[in-house]
Amino acid sequence: MPSLAVTSPNALWNFAVSPGMGLDGVVQVRAQSFSGTGTILPDGRHVLTAAHVVEENGAILWPIHIEVDTPTGTTSIAVHSVTLHPLFDLANENH
């Protein structure tokens, strides 16, 4: 699964919410015309998502953005790097 790193080291932590606010660590991942969900990892700097959301035919689908819902609205954060799992192989259904 890809690890998506956002542009600011603390960008996702800026949108932290407390338990019971009705929000969680699930984000929207948008890559060109594709979208899917991802989850914010405990370090607050990375998002885990399915590789097919950000990759097509061996190429990463730039630009990629993470959309975070907060109590004050939705914020879009640009992704600056993607790491695919070394065993990811969509052609052979190894995903």
Side-chain angles (χ1 to χ4, degrees), residues 3-29:
S3 170
L4 305 178
V6 296
T7 54
S8 171
N10 297 311
L12 293 173
W13 282 122
N14 293 336
F15 304 104
V17 294
S18 300
M21 294 182 69
L23 301 169
D24 53 28
V26 176
V27 297
Q28 186 76 30
V29 179

Side-chain angles (χ1 to χ4, degrees), residues 2 5-6 9 11 16 18 21 24 42-43 46 48 61 70 75 80 83:
V6 296
S18 300
M21 294 182 69
D24 53 28
D43 70 358
H46 297 88
L48 182 68
L61 300 170
T70 70
T75 299
H80 72 85
T83 303

Side-chain angles (χ1 to χ4, degrees), residues 4 6 12 27-29 47 64-68 75-77 79:
L4 305 178
V6 296
L12 293 173
V27 297
Q28 186 76 30
V29 179
V47 171
I64 301 170
H65 290 85
I66 303 299
E67 293 182 358
V68 181
T75 299
S76 181
I77 302 169
V79 171

